[in-house]
Every structure is written in C-alpha cells, then in structure tokens.
Coordinates of all heavy atoms in Angstrom, one line a residue:
S1 N -13.1 11.0 63.1 CA -13.3 11.6 64.4 C -14.4 12.7 64.3 O -14.8 13.3 65.3 CB -12.0 12.3 64.9 OG -11.6 13.3 64.0
S2 N -14.9 13.0 63.1 CA -15.9 14.0 62.9 C -17.1 13.6 63.7 O -17.5 12.5 63.8 CB -16.3 14.2 61.4 OG -17.4 15.0 61.3
S3 N -17.8 14.6 64.2 CA -19.1 14.3 65.0 C -20.2 13.8 64.1 O -21.2 13.4 64.6 CB -19.5 15.6 65.8 OG -19.7 16.7 64.9
R4 N -20.0 14.0 62.8 CA -21.0 13.4 61.9 C -20.2 12.4 61.0 O -19.0 12.5 60.8 CB -21.6 14.5 61.0 CG -22.5 15.4 61.8 CD -22.8 16.7 61.0 NE -23.7 16.4 59.9 CZ -24.1 17.3 59.1 NH1 -23.7 18.5 59.2 NH2 -24.9 17.0 58.1
P5 N -20.8 11.4 60.4 CA -20.1 10.4 59.7 C -19.3 10.9 58.6 O -19.8 11.9 57.9 CB -21.2 9.4 59.3 CG -22.5 10.0 59.7 CD -22.3 11.2 60.5
G6 N -18.2 10.4 58.3 CA -17.4 10.8 57.2 C -15.9 10.5 57.3 O -15.5 9.8 58.2
S7 N -15.1 10.9 56.4 CA -13.7 10.7 56.4 C -13.0 11.8 55.7 O -13.6 12.6 54.9 CB -13.4 9.4 55.8 OG -13.6 9.4 54.4
I8 N -11.7 11.9 55.9 CA -10.9 12.8 55.0 C -11.1 12.3 53.6 O -11.0 11.1 53.3 CB -9.5 12.8 55.4 CG1 -9.3 13.5 56.8 CG2 -8.6 13.5 54.4 CD1 -7.9 13.5 57.3
I9 N -11.2 13.2 52.6 CA -11.4 12.7 51.3 C -10.5 13.4 50.3 O -10.2 14.6 50.4 CB -12.9 12.9 50.8 CG1 -13.3 14.4 50.9 CG2 -13.8 12.0 51.5 CD1 -14.7 14.6 50.4
N10 N -10.0 12.6 49.4 CA -9.1 13.1 48.3 C -9.1 11.9 47.3 O -8.9 10.8 47.7 CB -7.7 13.4 48.8 CG -6.9 14.1 47.7 OD1 -7.1 15.2 47.4 ND2 -6.0 13.3 47.1
G11 N -9.2 12.2 46.1 CA -9.2 11.1 45.1 C -10.5 11.0 44.3 O -11.0 12.0 44.0
I12 N -10.9 9.8 44.1 CA -12.1 9.6 43.3 C -13.1 8.8 44.1 O -12.7 8.1 45.0 CB -11.8 9.0 41.9 CG1 -11.2 7.6 42.2 CG2 -11.0 9.8 41.1 CD1 -11.0 6.8 40.9
P13 N -14.4 8.9 43.7 CA -15.4 8.1 44.5 C -15.1 6.6 44.5 O -14.6 6.0 43.6 CB -16.7 8.4 43.8 CG -16.5 9.7 43.0 CD -15.0 9.6 42.7
D14 N -15.4 6.0 45.6 CA -15.3 4.6 45.8 C -16.7 4.0 45.4 O -17.6 4.0 46.2 CB -14.9 4.2 47.2 CG -14.8 2.7 47.5 OD1 -14.8 2.0 46.5 OD2 -14.8 2.3 48.7
G15 N -16.8 3.4 44.2 CA -18.1 2.9 43.7 C -19.0 4.1 43.5 O -18.7 5.1 43.0
D16 N -20.2 3.9 44.1 CA -21.3 5.0 44.0 C -21.2 5.9 45.1 O -22.1 6.8 45.2 CB -22.7 4.3 43.9 CG -22.8 3.5 42.6 OD1 -22.2 3.9 41.6 OD2 -23.5 2.5 42.6
E17 N -20.3 5.7 46.1 CA -20.3 6.5 47.3 C -19.3 7.7 47.1 O -18.4 7.6 46.3 CB -20.0 5.7 48.5 CG -21.0 4.6 48.7 CD -22.4 5.1 49.0 OE1 -22.5 6.1 49.6 OE2 -23.3 4.4 48.6
F18 N -19.4 8.7 48.0 CA -18.5 9.8 48.0 C -17.6 9.6 49.2 O -17.2 10.6 49.9 CB -19.1 11.1 47.9 CG -19.5 11.6 46.6 CD1 -20.7 11.2 46.0 CD2 -18.6 12.3 45.8 CE1 -21.0 11.6 44.7 CE2 -18.9 12.7 44.5 CZ -20.1 12.3 44.0
N19 N -17.3 8.4 49.6 CA -16.4 8.2 50.7 C -15.0 7.9 50.1 O -14.7 6.8 49.7 CB -16.8 7.0 51.5 CG -16.0 6.8 52.8 OD1 -15.5 7.8 53.3 ND2 -16.0 5.6 53.3
L20 N -14.2 9.0 49.9 CA -13.1 9.0 49.0 C -11.8 8.7 49.8 O -11.6 9.2 50.9 CB -13.0 10.3 48.3 CG -14.2 10.7 47.6 CD1 -14.0 12.0 46.8 CD2 -14.8 9.7 46.6
N21 N -10.9 7.9 49.1 CA -9.6 7.6 49.7 C -8.6 8.6 49.3 O -8.6 9.1 48.1 CB -9.2 6.2 49.3 CG -9.8 5.1 50.1 OD1 -10.0 5.3 51.3 ND2 -10.2 4.0 49.5
A22 N -7.7 8.9 50.1 CA -6.5 9.7 49.8 C -5.4 8.8 49.2 O -4.9 8.0 50.0 CB -6.0 10.5 51.0
Q23 N -5.1 9.0 48.0 CA -4.1 8.1 47.3 C -3.3 8.9 46.3 O -3.9 9.7 45.6 CB -4.8 6.9 46.7 CG -5.4 5.9 47.6 CD -5.9 4.7 46.9 OE1 -6.3 4.8 45.7 NE2 -6.0 3.5 47.5
W24 N -2.0 8.6 46.2 CA -1.2 9.1 45.1 C -1.5 8.3 43.8 O -1.7 7.1 43.9 CB 0.2 9.1 45.4 CG 0.7 10.0 46.5 CD1 1.1 9.7 47.7 CD2 0.7 11.5 46.4 NE1 1.4 10.8 48.4 CE2 1.2 11.9 47.7 CE3 0.4 12.4 45.4 CZ2 1.3 13.3 48.0 CZ3 0.5 13.7 45.7 CH2 1.0 14.2 47.0
K25 N -1.5 9.0 42.7 CA -1.6 8.3 41.4 C -0.5 8.7 40.5 O 0.1 9.8 40.6 CB -3.0 8.7 40.7 CG -4.2 8.4 41.6 CD -4.4 6.9 41.7 CE -5.7 6.6 42.5 NZ -5.9 5.2 42.7
D26 N -0.2 7.8 39.5 CA 0.9 8.1 38.5 C 0.6 9.4 37.8 O -0.6 9.7 37.4 CB 1.0 7.0 37.5 CG 1.5 5.7 38.1 OD1 2.3 5.8 39.0 OD2 1.2 4.6 37.5
G27 N 1.6 10.3 37.7 CA 1.4 11.5 37.0 C 1.1 12.7 37.9 O 1.1 13.8 37.5
D28 N 0.8 12.4 39.2 CA 0.6 13.5 40.1 C 1.8 14.5 40.2 O 2.9 14.0 40.3 CB 0.2 13.0 41.5 CG -1.2 12.4 41.6 OD1 -1.9 12.5 40.6 OD2 -1.5 11.7 42.6
K29 N 1.5 15.7 40.3 CA 2.6 16.7 40.3 C 2.5 17.6 41.5 O 1.4 17.9 42.0 CB 2.6 17.6 39.0 CG 2.8 16.8 37.8 CD 2.9 17.7 36.5 CE 3.0 16.8 35.3 NZ 4.2 16.0 35.2
I30 N 3.6 18.1 42.0 CA 3.6 18.9 43.2 C 4.4 20.2 42.9 O 5.5 20.1 42.4 CB 4.3 18.1 44.4 CG1 3.6 16.8 44.7 CG2 4.4 19.0 45.6 CD1 4.4 15.9 45.6
Q31 N 3.8 21.3 43.1 CA 4.5 22.6 43.0 C 5.3 22.9 44.3 O 4.8 22.7 45.4 CB 3.5 23.7 42.7 CG 2.8 23.6 41.4 CD 1.8 24.7 41.3 OE1 0.6 24.6 41.7 NE2 2.2 25.9 40.7

C-alpha cells in the first residue's frame, strides 16, 4: 500500500533483490 513500490520486509534477500519476505526460521528466539 506504500505510495512508492515496496513491501514489508523481514528476513533475507530474495535472489539479488531486496524485496524481502517475512518468515520464521528454525532457531528464532523471542524475548
């Protein structure tokens, strides 16, 4: 919904792009 192209990002780059997916990974910890 941003007025400029993009997305919420969390995680690691998808290929060579910085359009990042939000995903849980094994070993993630929460305080």
Side-chain angles (χ1 to χ4, degrees):
S1 62
S2 169
S3 57
R4 294 166 70 183
S7 69
I8 290 178
I9 56 176
N10 185 77
I12 58 173
D14 179 12
D16 295 328
E17 302 296 326
F18 276 87
N19 191 24
L20 308 183
N21 279 321
Q23 291 183 334
W24 292 112
K25 301 292 182 183
D26 290 333
D28 288 351
K29 298 184 184 298
I30 303 170
Q31 292 176 273

